[in-house]
Amino acid sequence: MKRILTGDRTTGRLHLGHYVGSLQNRVKLQEEYDTFIILADVQALTTHFERPELINKSIYDVAIDNLSVGLNPNRITMFLQSKIGAIAELTVFYSMLVSVNSLRHNPTIKTEVTQYGYDDLSYGFLGYPVSQAADITFCSADLVPVGEDQLPHIEQARKIVRRFNDLYGNGKIIIKQPDALISNTPRLIGLDGNSKMGKSLGNAIYLSDTSEEVNLKVRSAITDKNRIKRTDPGNPEVCTVSKYHEAFNCSEYQNICEMCRSASIGCAACKTLLSKKINSLLAPFREKRAYYEERKAEVRDIILAGSNRANLIGNETMEVVKKAMSIYM
Ligand code: SF4
């Protein structure tokens, strides 16, 4: 079985954007791959270092989000990044092999620098692509499920691995070069029409939202602003609600677009239909969530067992790595 590495930063609860973009696919992939799920609490520190209590609480939130959508704890290895010594060690070793200039060209770093400049950019944030390479390679992951836009991150990791093997491999492959497993899932826009659904943007429906919360949020979603009266024909192309129908009510999507254009459905009714669809998607997740929320000790055991397995593999990796680098006595 090939191994995949995927996961989430522990900076808060996961939302429908995460579900559409990654979790949904993750549930399918666990059937085919040895699935490693990283709860990236160290990476969370790169942006949330002043809020350690949030990161700590989010470990459970993110773990339960994953379990509630159908990740099977008997199939997957869910582990906590900060518990894996090999990741920390590899990050240090890899950091010698990456130039500051190449990090500056990383798209995420570039965006951050454009917004805030270099003065406030921490050494930890600048180096997060290096630690990401360590996350992927400590467990010899074959594949990393990503969208097209994240390909530069995988290429960065591959570059580091090639450099490492060239320098220390003496003709052998010491570290496995990971490949991207491209999933072209569309990005879910925010309820406010923003191109991204984000925790910090306040435009998200969370996997943990109650049906009442979902109803309220869907009611607040931005529609076609030019549709003033119920009798005005609408334009689904510019409506957030229609995009959600496309994602969560695929079979009725075309019909809804036609009804919108002919003004045979009003926005309130259209939103009610959508709320029902989203709530029926979330209903089984809510049941599983309730189970795990009442059994936090079980969630903790799942994470600890996963971390133990990950550590056994990581320790083996480090033995080979250190030997190749002549770091031993
Ligand atoms: S009817 Fe539906 S798709 Fe059309 S503008 Fe209203 S909410 Fe949007």
Side-chain angles (χ1 to χ4, degrees):
M1 230 185 195
K2 284 194 170 180
R3 182 170 294 155
I4 59 170
L5 185 283
T6 180
D8 308 284
R9 281 154 43 92
T10 57
T11 52
R13 295 172 298 147
L14 303 183
H15 51 61
L16 283 181
H18 293 114
Y19 181 72
V20 170
S22 144
L23 295 179
Q24 197 176 14
N25 192 32
R26 207 175 280 180
V27 174
K28 288 184 203 144
L29 293 174
Q30 69 176 336
E31 305 295 331
E32 267 179 76
Y33 296 100
D34 182 15
T35 303
F36 272 49
I37 296 183
I38 184 168
L39 301 170
D41 59 339
V42 177
Q43 201 193 109
L45 282 167
T46 60
T47 50
H48 290 64
F49 59 91
E50 287 167 316
R51 302 187 62 194
E53 69 300 326
L54 168 81
I55 295 175
N56 190 273
K57 178 186 175 299
S58 300
I59 292 167
Y60 280 96
D61 289 340
V62 172
I64 292 175
D65 281 332
N66 272 277
L67 296 169
S68 70
V69 299
L71 270 302
N72 178 347
N74 298 318
R75 262 187 185 280
I76 59 166
T77 300
M78 186 188 281
F79 64 95
L80 190 60
Q81 189 183 23
S82 59
K83 287 215 164 283
I84 313 301
I87 295 180
E89 281 190 288
L90 270 183
T91 301
V92 174
F93 296 160
Y94 286 168
S95 69
M96 322 297 170
L97 311 181
V98 184
S99 72
V100 171
N101 212 26
S102 75
L103 291 172
R104 283 159 54 146
H105 287 100
N106 176 284
T108 311
I109 306 285
K110 258 186 178 169
T111 310
E112 191 75 8
V113 170
T114 311
Q115 273 182 309
Y116 306 109
Y118 275 109
D119 284 352
D120 290 325
L121 190 76
S122 72
Y123 167 67
F125 190 91
L126 183 71
Y128 98 84
V130 181
S131 114
Q132 218 169 40
D135 296 339
I136 299 167
T137 55
F138 89 94
C139 62
S140 307
D142 299 282
L143 296 160
V144 185
V146 287
E148 297 260 7
D149 58 332
Q150 291 161 311
L151 275 177
H153 298 278
I154 307 303
E155 194 38 53
Q156 177 77 263
R158 287 168 58 82
K159 240 169 132 177
I160 292 172
V161 171
R162 284 198 295 272
R163 183 106 204 269
F164 185 96
N165 287 333
D166 286 350
L167 267 171
Y168 304 117
N170 204 13
K172 286 196 215 135
I173 303 283
I174 305 294
I175 309 257
K176 194 185 279 178
Q177 211 178 153
D179 282 308
L181 182 65
I182 307 274
S183 65
N184 283 321
T185 43
R187 177 175 275 188
L188 192 66
I189 61 172
L191 289 164
D192 55 358
N194 191 305
S195 63
K196 199 176 164 213
M197 180 177 272
K199 294 170 199 166
S200 55
L201 299 167
N203 61 3
I205 294 176
Y206 291 94
L207 295 168
S208 50
D209 279 348
T210 63
S211 51
E212 292 73 27
E213 283 169 324
V214 170
N215 295 343
L216 267 178
K217 286 183 178 180
V218 170
R219 251 181 263 155
S220 75
I222 300 293
T223 59
D224 172 8
K225 286 185 182 132
N226 293 322
R227 192 176 185 201
I228 314 286
K229 298 196 297 283
R230 166 69 181 78
T231 48
D232 292 341
N235 179 5
E237 299 294 321
V238 296
C239 175
T240 310
V241 178
S242 93
K243 303 275 183 286
Y244 279 57
H245 274 294
E246 190 176 12
F248 301 108
N249 189 14
C250 191
S251 62
E252 290 180 86
Y253 171 64
Q254 291 301 342
N255 190 29
I256 283 167
C257 288
E258 278 167 33
M259 291 197 292
C260 170
R261 289 194 189 96
S262 60
S264 53
I265 188 170
C267 292
C270 187
K271 286 178 170 179
T272 303
L273 276 179
L274 177 65
S275 295
K276 279 188 184 152
K277 277 286 164 187
I278 294 177
N279 278 324
S280 67
L281 170 79
L282 295 181
F285 304 168
R286 288 183 185 127
E287 264 182 47
K288 277 209 179 117
R289 172 179 303 283
Y291 172 91
Y292 285 112
E293 290 285 2
E294 279 175 24
R295 293 167 182 81
K296 288 268 175 74
E298 194 175 321
V299 178
R300 184 183 151 86
D301 287 347
I302 291 168
I303 299 169
L304 290 181
S307 302
N308 284 342
R309 180 176 180 224
N311 262 325
L312 288 176
I313 294 167
N315 292 344
E316 280 171 20
T317 303
M318 291 319 295
E319 241 178 69
V320 181
V321 161
K322 286 183 178 172
K323 199 159 177 224
M325 295 177 77
S326 301
I327 300 178
Y328 60 87
M329 283 184 76

